[in-house]
Amino acid sequence: MNIGDKLCLEPTIPTSAFVTAQTGPQPCRVVSINKRHHHFTVEFDFPEGSFRETYKEE
């Protein structure tokens, strides 16, 4: 995985403020990677705004 990679993940935070009709995996891109702690941050872009979420590598 590299910064800028495009992924399709399901947001785990409540998205009602951002998305009212969309559920399930959404396109996002990797914006940071923490190799030491094995997690990465992605950014979701929605018409209502964008937000970032961190996931643990499995």
Side-chain angles (χ1 to χ4, degrees), residues 15-26:
T15 58
S16 60
F18 296 98
V19 182
T20 55
Q22 297 177 351
T23 58
Q26 300 294 319

Side-chain angles (χ1 to χ4, degrees), residues 1-57:
M1 179 180 318
N2 295 303
I3 293 176
D5 283 357
K6 306 253 185 221
L7 303 175
C8 196
L9 299 171
E10 186 168 353
T12 60
I13 62 172
T15 58
S16 60
F18 296 98
V19 182
T20 55
Q22 297 177 351
T23 58
Q26 300 294 319
C28 58
R29 69 182 168 84
V30 178
V31 294
S32 70
I33 300 170
N34 184 320
K35 293 182 187 242
R36 182 175 179 198
H37 297 288
H38 306 286
H39 68 266
F40 59 98
T41 303
V42 298
E43 184 170 79
F44 293 92
D45 290 316
F46 294 106
E48 297 85 356
S50 62
F51 69 93
R52 294 181 176 192
E53 186 167 4
T54 300
Y55 293 85
K56 183 128 176 110
E57 288 186 59

